[in-house]
Amino acid sequence: MDPQKDTKLREFIRKLALLNAVRHDGKAQTGPVIGKLLGEKPELRARAKEITRLVSEVVHKVNDLSSKKQKSIVEERWAEALVKGKVEEERRLPPLSNVSKYAQVITRFSPNPDCVLHLGSARAIVLCYKYVCMYNGKFILRFEDTDPKLKRPVLEFYDRIREDLAWLKCKPDEEYIQSDRISIYYEYAEKLLKDGKAYVCTCPPEQFREKVSAGKPCKCRDLPPEEHVSRWQCMLEGGYKEGEAVVRVKTDLSHPNPAVRDWPALRVINSEKHPHPRIGSKCHVWPLYNFACGIDDHLMGVTHIIRGKEHLTNMVRQNYMYKYLGWQYPEAIHYGRLKITGASLSKSEIVQGIRAGLYESWDDPRLATFAALRKRGITSEAIKKLIIDVGPKTSDIVISWENLYAYNRKIIDPRANRYFFVENPIQLTVRNIPKSFTAKLSLHPDHPERGFREYVIEPREDSSADFWVSRNDLNALGVGRLVRFMGLFNVKIEEADTYSAEASFMSEAYEKARKAEAPLIHWIPIGVGMPCQVVMPDATIAEGIAETYCKQLKPNDTIQFERFGFVRIEEINTKVIAYYAHR
Ligand SMILES: [Zn+2]
């Protein structure tokens, strides 16, 4: 083959793959790319096998790129092909304000690595990331880990958070860790102290609170800046113990909200008692949230802060500091609370539950952590679609698990192949089977090309055959009913007790079952099943038998157990272990 032609062809496939990836949330699919390629270049049909190999190789490489990277390549080279997709995305999120004021839109997601991420963080992440995609900006991940005492960071969570962002396909362009930046915060503290815009308060906390709630200065506030600079030195050198000195930023002592008045910026922590997991005991003066966050947002060039409205007061506090430093406060979007009914979204509840042994791990199916959702087969696409539809509204919003499931179902239903899982199996002997039958059950009703599970039912000499069916079904149906074995034949239940049941063959045609309004049940011939456990959302386990066809599945595959629900495969060996997603 002509190597130059080969390079050209490869490049063309790359274009198709990139466009496909951009339209499908960063994941190009080999099938549609081949279809498109052969549609445009029918002469390649003769080389289908070679083309398939080549396309899947290129698709693989394209899928290794971050979705932002994919998008920027497409925008640079084939922007016109994107127009349709782009309009759709922009229409769905309202535009950001004052974008033209800035050279580039920069957003940040800034978690404290003291817990894993959960659904409650999705809004901040997805909105920040999607806006950056919309404006071709920059997305920053910033670990806010400067409280080794009350919100103590934990090493494993830095990586878990990175993993969660990668899973959401919201990969940051830059990453910062605040505990690496302590000297920067010290520098600005000193500047504010020197300028008389901050002071080191050594009053007992009670005394300070009393003064400030009365709108009066404490005895430290009006001392000359030199005194505060020397107190600051003393603070750094370890001259004050925990609780003995606080750097406070001056605000308005008559501010109507007492929480705004002279807010704390840095304080002393007993570093022997509360070492930091990354830097140990070598630092004992730690910045507080508003100080570190406010300084970083400016220094990192954040243009749009997108966060919950519980941060409104923080903006008021930080504004004083911004004015003192001659900085301009970024655009701030404060969205309302997002509540998911039935999910524990409070970090402290999750952490306490794990500590108390109530939950087994961070991915316990009862939790709404990303790790747990991932394990259950909830896709990141579903989460993102839901968040974008909700948007950055300022009103509080309550959604239910069912809302999320509905988004997820739309995404996984076309992908998920169908299998039978008989929960609480009971042996059912069907008698009077007149001949042998072949059941061809499609792996997916809309995709016959994916193939079938095929069962040949060969009755014994006495015209009987044995099946596993679910006790739940028999209990619900009762004796005397006509029921249809999906894809096979119709039987009448003659007898049922705790461990076994009997039925008689009645007819083959589906039409007869339909006319009689016979319920459909699923079944597995005895001898072709494997044990299966499905972990349910309440952490109970549904036990039963799955078709041996499940052996062809791999961990992470999402399938539908018909009449049971969608599940994600966790493990396949001599038995199937799966996690339940939803109906
Ligand atoms: Zn004081």
Side-chain angles (χ1 to χ4, degrees):
M1 191 176 172
D2 182 352
Q4 207 177 346
K5 255 192 183 163
D6 189 19
T7 317
K8 262 195 171 161
L9 174 61
R10 188 178 269 273
E11 197 47 35
F12 184 66
I13 295 173
R14 192 168 129 89
K15 171 181 172 179
L16 297 179
L18 278 162
L19 285 171
N20 188 268
V22 167
R23 289 199 193 102
H24 296 98
D25 216 21
K27 275 265 167 287
Q29 312 263 324
T30 309
V33 174
I34 294 176
K36 187 103 182 151
L37 176 69
L38 296 182
E40 296 203 19
K41 296 185 188 291
E43 71 277 11
L44 292 174
R45 276 174 201 278
R47 292 161 50 195
K49 219 175 173 177
E50 178 197 344
I51 293 296
T52 307
R53 206 172 43 236
L54 185 60
V55 169
S56 87
E57 192 188 309
V58 175
V59 162
H60 206 79
K61 281 195 180 145
V62 163
N63 286 347
D64 274 347
L65 301 171
S66 71
S67 45
K68 250 199 88 203
K69 178 79 190 160
Q70 292 167 346
K71 204 163 172 212
S72 78
I73 299 173
V74 170
E75 270 176 357
E76 205 175 292
R77 305 190 46 187
W78 312 289
E80 73 292 344
L82 263 190
V83 170
K84 201 177 146 239
K86 196 163 180 174
V87 167
E88 226 167 77
E89 190 169 70
E90 279 175 8
R91 193 174 53 225
R92 299 182 72 179
L93 279 183
L96 287 175
S97 53
N98 294 325
V99 166
S100 56
K101 238 171 84 181
Y102 306 95
Q104 186 186 26
V105 167
I106 301 177
T107 65
R108 48 81 169 167
F109 171 62
S110 44
N112 182 345
D114 63 343
C115 185
V116 295
L117 299 180
H118 56 76
L119 204 47
S121 320
R123 203 163 182 202
I125 300 168
V126 171
L127 290 177
C128 286
Y129 184 80
K130 283 286 167 185
Y131 272 122
V132 157
C133 289
M134 210 164 127
Y135 292 105
N136 207 0
K138 188 163 83 178
F139 176 52
I140 291 174
L141 168 63
R142 186 172 74 216
F143 288 108
E144 300 197 334
D145 59 343
T146 63
D147 186 350
K149 189 180 171 187
L150 294 177
K151 294 180 174 174
R152 189 166 194 277
V154 178
L155 278 185
E156 68 163 309
F157 297 145
Y158 294 80
D159 273 337
R160 284 187 184 270
I161 289 172
R162 291 180 187 116
E163 256 171 57
D164 284 340
L165 290 186
W167 174 69
L168 283 167
K169 298 198 194 79
C170 295
K171 269 196 121 168
D173 300 293
E174 279 173 19
E175 181 191 301
Y176 297 93
I177 303 182
Q178 286 189 328
S179 56
D180 285 339
R181 300 167 56 80
I182 299 298
S183 59
I184 299 173
Y185 309 126
Y186 287 178
E187 200 184 301
Y188 283 96
E190 200 170 314
K191 180 172 167 42
L192 290 169
L193 289 165
K194 272 187 186 151
D195 293 349
K197 305 298 186 196
Y199 59 100
V200 178
C201 172
T202 57
C203 302
E206 275 307 300
Q207 227 174 75
F208 174 83
R209 227 166 316 175
E210 219 170 88
K211 284 279 180 196
V212 151
S213 46
K216 297 217 168 68
C218 74
K219 61 180 173 26
C220 322
R221 194 183 204 258
D222 296 326
L223 296 172
E226 302 81 68
E227 169 61 20
H228 291 302
V229 171
S230 89
R231 283 184 180 187
W232 168 246
Q233 283 311 323
C234 180
M235 224 173 139
L236 291 181
E237 283 156 17
Y240 294 106
K241 289 209 267 303
E242 188 173 301
E244 287 181 354
V246 180
V247 176
R248 294 187 171 276
V249 171
K250 286 188 185 170
T251 64
D252 185 350
L253 283 179
S254 58
H255 194 282
N257 181 357
V260 170
R261 299 176 196 166
D262 289 16
W263 51 270
L266 302 101
R267 44 93 156 88
V268 179
I269 284 179
N270 181 339
S271 60
E272 297 300 328
K273 208 166 145 198
H274 306 289
H276 190 279
R278 289 184 72 249
I279 64 171
S281 306
K282 72 179 186 210
C283 169
H284 59 275
V285 176
W286 286 96
L288 283 136
Y289 172 75
N290 277 295
F291 189 69
C293 164
I295 291 197
D296 280 347
D297 281 340
H298 175 80
L299 296 183
M300 292 170 192
V302 173
T303 60
H304 292 75
I305 299 172
I306 303 167
R307 62 185 171 196
K309 67 181 177 190
E310 65 274 15
H311 285 281
L312 272 167
T313 311
N314 290 330
M315 180 169 76
V316 180
R317 291 191 183 106
Q318 292 171 2
N319 250 320
Y320 285 92
M321 177 169 79
Y322 270 67
K323 248 182 272 152
Y324 300 150
L325 293 169
W327 296 347
Q328 213 196 337
Y329 204 77
E331 314 294 325
I333 295 113
H334 291 103
Y335 51 73
R337 258 173 268 270
L338 175 72
K339 215 185 141 209
I340 303 193
T341 51
S344 150
L345 283 188
S346 123
K347 248 204 233 187
S348 55
E349 269 175 70
I350 296 176
V351 173
Q352 274 163 21
I354 294 255
R355 272 199 206 124
L358 194 61
Y359 307 122
E360 225 168 83
S361 54
W362 301 106
D363 55 11
D364 188 295
R366 286 165 289 185
L367 298 175
T369 59
F370 288 138
L373 296 172
R374 189 152 67 224
K375 203 161 195 181
R376 289 177 49 191
I378 307 292
T379 59
S380 57
E381 293 108 296
I383 295 173
K384 285 199 275 194
K385 284 217 166 82
L386 171 68
I387 296 294
I388 291 173
D389 282 354
V390 170
K393 293 185 190 84
T394 48
S395 51
D396 292 349
I397 290 153
V398 180
I399 59 166
S400 68
W401 280 109
E402 283 307 322
N403 295 127
L404 179 60
Y405 295 162
Y407 280 84
N408 200 54
R409 194 175 294 118
K410 245 188 220 166
I411 291 164
I412 63 176
D413 183 49
R415 297 178 193 162
N417 282 343
R418 273 52 170 172
Y419 296 90
F420 285 162
F421 162 64
V422 175
E423 187 190 7
N424 296 329
I426 179 172
Q427 180 177 332
L428 178 73
T429 303
V430 179
R431 303 202 182 279
N432 309 326
I433 304 174
K435 60 177 179 85
S436 82
F437 287 89
T438 301
K440 276 185 101 180
L441 305 158
S442 57
L443 278 168
H444 196 289
D446 305 335
H447 296 279
E449 77 283 2
R450 292 189 199 168
F452 298 88
R453 301 111 68 203
E454 193 173 296
Y455 293 109
V456 178
I457 308 301
E458 198 72 64
R460 285 181 292 250
E461 240 167 60
D462 69 352
S463 306
S464 70
D466 299 329
F467 299 87
W468 292 119
V469 297
S470 174
R471 186 180 298 142
N472 312 359
D473 280 339
L474 286 194
N475 288 349
L477 299 174
V479 171
R481 289 265 339 231
L482 183 74
V483 300
R484 176 162 181 83
F485 275 26
M486 291 168 76
L488 185 61
F489 50 44
N490 312 319
V491 305
K492 192 164 102 192
I493 310 286
E494 306 281 9
E495 208 183 303
D497 63 38
T498 324
Y499 300 105
S500 64
E502 294 206 4
S504 307
F505 172 91
M506 298 307 286
S507 52
E508 183 178 6
Y510 170 65
E511 200 48 30
K512 291 214 161 126
R514 203 181 58 82
K515 274 200 185 130
E517 292 179 1
L520 289 123
I521 66 168
H522 59 286
W523 49 276
I524 296 176
I526 284 188
V528 296
M530 59 197 293
C532 175
Q533 293 186 327
V534 182
V535 183
M536 303 303 288
D538 61 1
T540 58
I541 290 173
E543 301 248 15
I545 291 171
E547 292 175 70
T548 27
Y549 273 97
C550 289
K551 276 215 170 105
Q552 66 196 32
L553 297 169
K554 292 184 297 299
N556 277 330
D557 281 347
T558 302
I559 60 164
Q560 186 189 42
F561 280 143
E562 289 192 79
R563 302 185 60 240
F564 181 77
F566 291 95
V567 301
R568 180 191 144 274
I569 300 295
E570 171 77 6
E571 211 183 299
I572 298 256
N573 39 47
T574 51
K575 85 178 172 197
V576 183
I577 296 177
Y579 275 74
Y580 190 83
H582 46 72
R583 269 274 167 198

